[in-house]
Amino acid sequence: MASFDSQPIVISFLKPLQGANDLADERVVELLVRGYVDRCLAAFRDAAEGRVSQDDAVDDIYQLASALNAVFLGTSGFHTLTVHPWNAADQLGVFLRDTLDLDFPPGECVRASLVHLATQIMLGVQQPQPEWEGMMEELTIDMRDLLLGRAPADDGEALPYA
């Protein structure tokens, strides 16, 4: 699979909001995460059905995670997104590194979190459909909350990212 320009893909995730693209807005963050989850599901399905190789599917997911890393860390250059001081490696990146116990530099922690999310999605779709659909929703909401700086509730269960 050839390298792709991720900017139109990321922008397409935000179309339902018609330009109100503030990274402090829960709806914006959720649309970006849902777009990523949907893209992961499509890539896994395409690989399983032989339309693309597994390597190409993984490459697609990794490139999109890298593009979203730049978006959430405020370095994407998208003029249609409003970023905040939180959207920086020394804020969001450190929060994700510490909260999820990631072994990556802060500037790569959004990408690492999203790649790990893709792994959880891949494992989830191997469950019976009613179970994985609920799991996808939970993973999406958890990632949305993490990207907004909300630590998961301590309910005694291990984080799916640890």
Side-chain angles (χ1 to χ4, degrees):
M1 183 175 289
S3 177
F4 67 91
D5 180 7
S6 57
Q7 188 169 5
I9 294 167
V10 172
I11 290 170
S12 74
F13 294 165
L14 298 170
K15 279 189 178 179
L17 294 181
Q18 303 294 326
N21 299 321
D22 188 320
L23 289 178
D25 184 335
E26 185 175 282
R27 297 172 308 144
V28 170
V29 175
E30 188 167 330
L31 275 173
L32 288 168
V33 174
R34 283 191 189 284
Y36 178 76
V37 168
D38 289 347
R39 184 79 179 209
C40 289
L41 289 168
F44 293 140
R45 182 182 56 247
D46 288 349
E49 294 174 0
R51 287 192 290 274
V52 299
S53 72
Q54 188 172 7
D55 288 344
D56 286 344
V58 169
D59 187 48
D60 182 55
I61 290 166
Y62 186 85
Q63 287 183 50
L64 187 53
S66 294
L68 288 170
N69 187 76
V71 166
F72 282 106
L73 295 181
T75 62
S76 68
F78 289 176
H79 301 295
T80 60
L81 287 173
T82 302
V83 297
H84 302 275
W86 168 252
N87 300 110
D90 66 343
Q91 295 290 317
L92 175 57
V94 169
F95 171 78
L96 291 172
R97 182 195 64 199
D98 294 349
T99 301
L100 302 176
D101 195 28
L102 298 171
D103 190 22
F104 290 89
E108 297 177 24
C109 284
V110 172
R111 179 194 51 76
S113 299
L114 290 169
V115 168
H116 193 78
L117 172 61
T119 303
Q120 296 303 311
I121 292 167
M122 183 178 65
L123 295 172
V125 297
Q126 297 172 23
Q127 305 300 317
Q129 188 162 354
E131 289 180 34
W132 75 259
E133 286 176 349
M135 184 181 192
M136 293 308 108
E137 183 65 18
E138 184 177 322
L139 289 169
T140 299
I141 298 304
D142 285 350
M143 181 56 68
R144 176 205 66 200
D145 288 348
L146 285 165
L147 292 169
L148 289 166
R150 301 177 194 149
D154 185 11
D155 56 9
E157 293 184 28
L159 290 170
Y161 306 94

